[in-house]
Amino acid sequence: DTAVSQTPKYLVTQMGNDKSIKCEQNLGHDTMYWYKQDSKKFLKIMFSYNNKELIINETVPNRFSPKSPDKAHLNLHINSLELGDSAVYFCASSHPGQGHPGDTQYFGPGTRLTVL
Amino acid sequence: DQQVKQNSPSLSVQEGRISILNCDYTNSMFDYFLWYKKYPAEGPTFLISISSIKDKNEDGRFTVFLNKSAKHLSLHIVPSQPGDSAVYFCAASALLGSGGSNYKLTFGKGTLLTVNP
């Protein structure tokens, strides 16, 4: 009954490879997000989708491409992986405007990507 | 440019005492503030939030205080328990554009709380 799930939990790969991370939420939320937590521990927004429409794209290299087949899924595909892509990637979902301003987001467990 | 700052990277308290975690922000467009708790190898878990129209919100052992004029918020945990040991992230929400319902969360760097038995 996991609310926001991600696969895989760990991903080790070589530079130059292409990889995907999958995210699914069963909360019925309209909006999904990808965050990156780098070695400095900052959680930074990468993308957000609202009902399959791209809302936020935070100056992320175009090697990163989110794909939302439906509002319960937001996958992250990364082409030509580089050493600097090593980080923990978190998926999140929310249903903005639920009786208050602002947005409470619910996070998945994270995917630790290591690029060798 | 850090819009949300948690200046204490770590805090250590004794079990049963109060833990106070602080957060400062610079963007006056933030109108909703949240605290998340994160254990190692897990995702952040929503803990408590506060709207900018309030100055206090309480949920059990957790209370968040907001001082808008100082652009400062704090999380109080009392009494602190060993299970509270985790990284606590402060986050602030701002509406994207006008008239919509899409928001962006900006996170602080986190404070590692250690509660000693």
Coordinates of all heavy atoms in Angstrom, one line a residue, chain B residues 25-75:
Chain B
Y25 N 14.0 32.4 5.8 CA 13.7 32.5 4.4 C 13.8 34.0 3.9 O 13.7 34.9 4.7 CB 12.3 31.9 4.1 CG 11.1 32.6 4.7 CD1 10.4 33.6 4.0 CD2 10.7 32.3 5.9 CE1 9.3 34.2 4.5 CE2 9.6 32.9 6.5 CZ 8.9 33.9 5.8 OH 7.9 34.5 6.3
T26 N 14.0 34.1 2.6 CA 14.2 35.5 2.1 C 13.1 35.9 1.2 O 12.9 37.1 1.0 CB 15.5 35.6 1.4 OG1 15.5 34.6 0.3 CG2 16.7 35.3 2.3
N27 N 12.3 35.0 0.6 CA 11.4 35.3 -0.4 C 10.0 35.6 0.2 O 9.4 34.7 0.8 CB 11.2 34.2 -1.4 CG 10.4 34.5 -2.6 OD1 9.6 35.5 -2.6 ND2 10.5 33.7 -3.6
S28 N 9.5 36.8 0.1 CA 8.3 37.2 0.8 C 7.1 36.6 0.0 O 5.9 36.7 0.5 CB 8.1 38.7 0.8 OG 8.2 39.3 -0.5
M29 N 7.3 36.0 -1.1 CA 6.2 35.3 -1.9 C 5.8 34.0 -1.3 O 4.8 33.4 -1.6 CB 6.6 35.2 -3.3 CG 6.8 36.5 -4.1 SD 5.4 37.6 -3.9 CE 4.2 36.7 -4.9
F30 N 6.7 33.4 -0.4 CA 6.3 32.2 0.2 C 5.1 32.3 1.1 O 5.0 33.3 1.9 CB 7.5 31.7 1.1 CG 8.7 31.2 0.3 CD1 10.0 31.5 0.8 CD2 8.6 30.5 -0.9 CE1 11.1 31.1 0.1 CE2 9.7 30.1 -1.6 CZ 11.0 30.4 -1.1
D31 N 4.1 31.4 0.9 CA 2.9 31.6 1.7 C 2.5 30.3 2.5 O 1.4 30.3 3.1 CB 1.7 32.1 0.8 CG 1.5 31.1 -0.3 OD1 2.1 30.0 -0.4 OD2 0.6 31.4 -1.1
Y32 N 3.4 29.4 2.4 CA 3.1 28.1 3.1 C 4.4 27.4 3.4 O 5.3 27.4 2.6 CB 2.2 27.2 2.2 CG 1.6 26.0 2.8 CD1 0.7 26.0 3.8 CD2 2.0 24.7 2.2 CE1 0.2 24.8 4.3 CE2 1.5 23.6 2.7 CZ 0.6 23.6 3.8 OH 0.0 22.5 4.3
F33 N 4.5 26.9 4.7 CA 5.8 26.4 5.1 C 5.6 25.0 5.7 O 4.6 24.7 6.3 CB 6.4 27.3 6.2 CG 6.5 28.8 5.7 CD1 5.5 29.7 5.8 CD2 7.7 29.2 5.0 CE1 5.6 31.0 5.3 CE2 7.8 30.4 4.5 CZ 6.8 31.3 4.7
L34 N 6.6 24.2 5.5 CA 6.4 22.8 5.9 C 7.7 22.3 6.5 O 8.8 22.8 6.2 CB 6.2 21.9 4.6 CG 5.0 22.3 3.7 CD1 5.5 23.2 2.5 CD2 4.4 21.0 3.1
W35 N 7.6 21.3 7.4 CA 8.7 20.6 7.9 C 8.6 19.1 7.5 O 7.5 18.5 7.6 CB 8.8 20.7 9.4 CG 9.2 22.0 9.9 CD1 8.5 23.1 10.3 CD2 10.6 22.4 10.1 NE1 9.2 24.1 10.7 CE2 10.6 23.8 10.6 CE3 11.9 21.8 9.9 CZ2 11.7 24.5 10.9 CZ3 13.0 22.6 10.2 CH2 12.9 23.9 10.7
Y36 N 9.7 18.6 7.0 CA 9.8 17.2 6.7 C 10.9 16.6 7.5 O 11.9 17.2 7.9 CB 10.2 17.0 5.2 CG 9.1 17.3 4.2 CD1 8.8 18.6 3.8 CD2 8.4 16.3 3.7 CE1 7.8 18.9 2.9 CE2 7.4 16.5 2.7 CZ 7.1 17.8 2.4 OH 6.1 18.0 1.4
K37 N 10.7 15.3 7.8 CA 11.6 14.5 8.6 C 12.2 13.4 7.6 O 11.4 12.8 6.9 CB 10.9 13.9 9.7 CG 11.6 12.9 10.6 CD 10.6 12.4 11.7 CE 11.3 11.4 12.6 NZ 10.3 11.0 13.7
K38 N 13.5 13.2 7.7 CA 14.1 12.2 6.8 C 15.0 11.3 7.6 O 16.0 11.7 8.2 CB 14.8 12.9 5.7 CG 15.3 11.9 4.6 CD 16.1 12.6 3.5 CE 16.6 11.6 2.5 NZ 17.4 10.5 3.1
Y39 N 14.7 10.0 7.5 CA 15.6 8.9 8.0 C 16.6 8.5 6.9 O 16.2 8.7 5.7 CB 14.9 7.7 8.5 CG 14.0 8.0 9.7 CD1 12.6 7.8 9.7 CD2 14.6 8.3 10.9 CE1 11.8 8.0 10.8 CE2 13.8 8.5 12.1 CZ 12.4 8.4 12.0 OH 11.7 8.6 13.1
P40 N 17.8 8.0 7.2 CA 18.7 7.5 6.2 C 18.0 6.5 5.3 O 17.3 5.7 5.7 CB 19.8 6.9 7.0 CG 19.8 7.6 8.3 CD 18.3 7.8 8.6
A41 N 18.4 6.6 4.0 CA 17.9 5.7 3.0 C 16.4 5.7 2.8 O 15.8 4.7 2.3 CB 18.4 4.3 3.2
E42 N 15.7 6.7 3.3 CA 14.3 6.9 3.1 C 14.0 8.2 2.5 O 14.8 9.1 2.5 CB 13.5 6.7 4.4 CG 13.6 5.3 5.0 CD 12.7 5.2 6.2 OE1 11.9 6.1 6.5 OE2 12.9 4.2 6.9
G43 N 12.8 8.4 1.9 CA 12.4 9.7 1.4 C 11.9 10.6 2.6 O 11.6 10.2 3.6
P44 N 11.9 11.9 2.3 CA 11.4 12.9 3.3 C 9.9 12.6 3.6 O 9.1 12.3 2.7 CB 11.5 14.2 2.6 CG 12.6 14.0 1.6 CD 12.4 12.6 1.1
T45 N 9.6 12.7 4.9 CA 8.2 12.4 5.3 C 7.6 13.7 5.8 O 8.2 14.4 6.7 CB 8.2 11.4 6.5 OG1 8.7 10.2 6.0 CG2 6.7 11.1 6.9
F46 N 6.4 14.1 5.4 CA 5.8 15.3 5.8 C 5.5 15.2 7.3 O 5.0 14.2 7.8 CB 4.5 15.5 5.0 CG 3.6 16.6 5.6 CD1 4.0 17.9 5.5 CD2 2.4 16.3 6.2 CE1 3.3 19.0 6.0 CE2 1.6 17.3 6.7 CZ 2.1 18.6 6.6
L47 N 5.8 16.3 8.0 CA 5.6 16.3 9.5 C 4.5 17.3 9.9 O 3.5 16.9 10.5 CB 7.0 16.7 10.1 CG 7.1 16.5 11.6 CD1 6.9 15.1 12.0 CD2 8.5 17.0 12.0
I48 N 4.7 18.5 9.5 CA 3.8 19.6 9.9 C 3.9 20.8 9.0 O 5.0 21.0 8.4 CB 4.0 20.0 11.4 CG1 2.9 20.8 12.0 CG2 5.4 20.6 11.6 CD1 2.9 21.0 13.5
S49 N 2.9 21.6 8.9 CA 2.9 22.7 8.1 C 2.2 23.9 8.7 O 1.5 23.8 9.7 CB 2.3 22.4 6.7 OG 0.9 22.1 6.9
I50 N 2.4 25.1 8.1 CA 1.8 26.3 8.6 C 1.5 27.3 7.4 O 2.4 27.4 6.6 CB 2.6 27.0 9.7 CG1 1.8 28.1 10.4 CG2 3.9 27.4 9.2 CD1 2.4 28.6 11.7
S51 N 0.4 27.8 7.4 CA 0.1 28.8 6.4 C 0.6 30.2 6.9 O 0.7 30.4 8.1 CB -1.5 28.9 6.2 OG -1.8 30.1 5.5
S52 N 0.9 31.1 5.9 CA 1.4 32.4 6.3 C 0.4 33.3 7.0 O 0.8 34.3 7.6 CB 1.9 33.1 5.0 OG 0.8 33.3 4.1
I53 N -0.9 32.9 7.1 CA -1.8 33.7 7.8 C -1.9 33.3 9.3 O -2.6 33.9 10.1 CB -3.2 33.6 7.2 CG1 -3.8 32.1 7.2 CG2 -3.2 34.1 5.8 CD1 -5.2 32.0 6.8
K54 N -1.1 32.3 9.7 CA -1.1 31.9 11.1 C 0.3 32.1 11.6 O 1.3 32.3 10.9 CB -1.4 30.4 11.2 CG -2.9 30.1 10.7 CD -3.2 28.6 11.0 CE -4.6 28.3 10.7 NZ -5.0 26.9 11.0
D55 N 0.4 32.1 12.9 CA 1.7 32.2 13.6 C 2.1 31.0 14.4 O 3.2 30.9 14.9 CB 1.8 33.5 14.4 CG 0.7 33.5 15.5 OD1 0.1 32.5 15.8 OD2 0.5 34.6 16.0
K56 N 1.1 30.0 14.5 CA 1.4 28.8 15.2 C 0.5 27.7 14.7 O -0.6 27.9 14.4 CB 1.2 29.1 16.7 CG 1.4 27.9 17.6 CD 1.0 28.3 19.1 CE 1.1 27.1 20.0 NZ 0.7 27.5 21.4
N57 N 1.1 26.5 14.7 CA 0.4 25.3 14.4 C 0.9 24.1 15.2 O 2.1 24.0 15.3 CB 0.4 24.9 12.9 CG -0.6 23.8 12.6 OD1 -1.6 23.6 13.2 ND2 -0.3 23.1 11.5
E58 N 0.0 23.4 15.9 CA 0.5 22.4 16.8 C -0.1 21.1 16.4 O -1.3 21.0 16.1 CB 0.0 22.8 18.2 CG 0.5 22.0 19.3 CD 0.2 22.5 20.7 OE1 -0.4 23.6 20.8 OE2 0.5 21.9 21.7
D59 N 0.7 20.0 16.5 CA 0.2 18.7 16.3 C 1.0 17.7 17.2 O 2.1 17.3 16.9 CB 0.5 18.3 14.8 CG 0.0 16.9 14.4 OD1 -0.7 16.2 15.3 OD2 0.1 16.5 13.3
G60 N 0.3 17.4 18.3 CA 0.9 16.5 19.3 C 2.2 17.1 19.9 O 2.2 18.2 20.4
R61 N 3.3 16.4 19.7 CA 4.6 16.9 20.3 C 5.2 18.0 19.4 O 6.2 18.6 19.8 CB 5.5 15.8 20.5 CG 5.1 14.7 21.5 CD 6.1 13.6 21.7 NE 6.4 12.9 20.5 CZ 7.6 12.9 19.9 NH1 8.6 13.7 20.4 NH2 7.8 12.2 18.8
F62 N 4.7 18.2 18.3 CA 5.3 19.1 17.3 C 4.5 20.4 17.2 O 3.3 20.4 17.0 CB 5.4 18.4 15.9 CG 6.1 17.1 15.9 CD1 5.5 15.9 16.2 CD2 7.5 17.1 15.8 CE1 6.2 14.7 16.2 CE2 8.2 15.9 15.8 CZ 7.5 14.7 16.0
T63 N 5.2 21.5 17.2 CA 4.7 22.8 17.1 C 5.5 23.6 16.1 O 6.8 23.7 16.3 CB 4.5 23.6 18.4 OG1 3.8 22.8 19.3 CG2 3.8 24.9 18.2
V64 N 4.9 24.3 15.2 CA 5.7 25.2 14.3 C 5.2 26.6 14.5 O 4.0 26.9 14.7 CB 5.5 24.8 12.8 CG1 4.1 24.7 12.4 CG2 6.3 25.7 11.9
F65 N 6.2 27.5 14.7 CA 6.0 28.9 14.9 C 6.5 29.7 13.7 O 7.5 29.4 13.1 CB 6.7 29.4 16.1 CG 6.3 28.8 17.4 CD1 6.8 27.6 17.9 CD2 5.2 29.4 18.1 CE1 6.4 27.1 19.1 CE2 4.8 28.8 19.3 CZ 5.4 27.7 19.8
L66 N 5.7 30.7 13.3 CA 6.0 31.5 12.1 C 6.1 32.9 12.5 O 5.1 33.5 13.1 CB 5.1 31.3 11.0 CG 5.3 32.2 9.7 CD1 6.6 31.9 9.1 CD2 4.1 32.0 8.7
N67 N 7.2 33.6 12.2 CA 7.3 35.0 12.5 C 7.6 35.7 11.1 O 8.7 35.7 10.6 CB 8.5 35.3 13.4 CG 8.7 36.8 13.7 OD1 8.3 37.7 12.9 ND2 9.2 37.1 14.9
K68 N 6.5 36.2 10.5 CA 6.6 36.7 9.1 C 7.4 37.9 9.0 O 8.2 38.1 8.0 CB 5.2 37.0 8.6 CG 4.4 35.8 8.1 CD 3.1 36.2 7.4 CE 3.4 37.0 6.1 NZ 2.1 37.3 5.4
S69 N 7.4 38.8 10.0 CA 8.1 40.0 9.9 C 9.6 39.7 10.0 O 10.4 40.4 9.3 CB 7.8 41.0 11.1 OG 8.0 40.4 12.3
A70 N 10.0 38.7 10.7 CA 11.4 38.3 10.7 C 11.8 37.3 9.7 O 12.9 36.9 9.5 CB 11.7 37.7 12.1
K71 N 10.8 36.8 8.9 CA 11.0 35.7 7.9 C 11.7 34.5 8.6 O 12.7 34.0 8.1 CB 11.7 36.2 6.7 CG 11.0 37.2 5.9 CD 11.7 37.5 4.6 CE 10.9 38.4 3.6 NZ 10.8 39.8 4.1
H72 N 11.1 34.1 9.7 CA 11.7 33.0 10.5 C 10.6 32.0 10.9 O 9.5 32.5 11.3 CB 12.4 33.6 11.7 CG 13.0 32.6 12.6 ND1 14.2 32.1 12.4 CD2 12.5 32.1 13.7 CE1 14.5 31.2 13.4 NE2 13.4 31.2 14.2
L73 N 11.0 30.8 10.8 CA 10.1 29.8 11.4 C 10.9 28.8 12.3 O 12.1 28.7 12.0 CB 9.2 29.1 10.4 CG 9.8 28.2 9.3 CD1 8.8 27.2 8.9 CD2 10.1 29.1 8.1
S74 N 10.2 28.2 13.2 CA 10.9 27.2 14.0 C 10.0 26.0 14.3 O 8.8 26.1 14.3 CB 11.4 27.8 15.3 OG 10.3 28.3 16.1
L75 N 10.6 24.9 14.5 CA 9.9 23.7 14.9 C 10.3 23.3 16.3 O 11.5 23.1 16.6 CB 10.3 22.5 13.9 CG 9.7 21.1 14.2 CD1 8.2 21.1 14.1 CD2 10.4 20.1 13.3

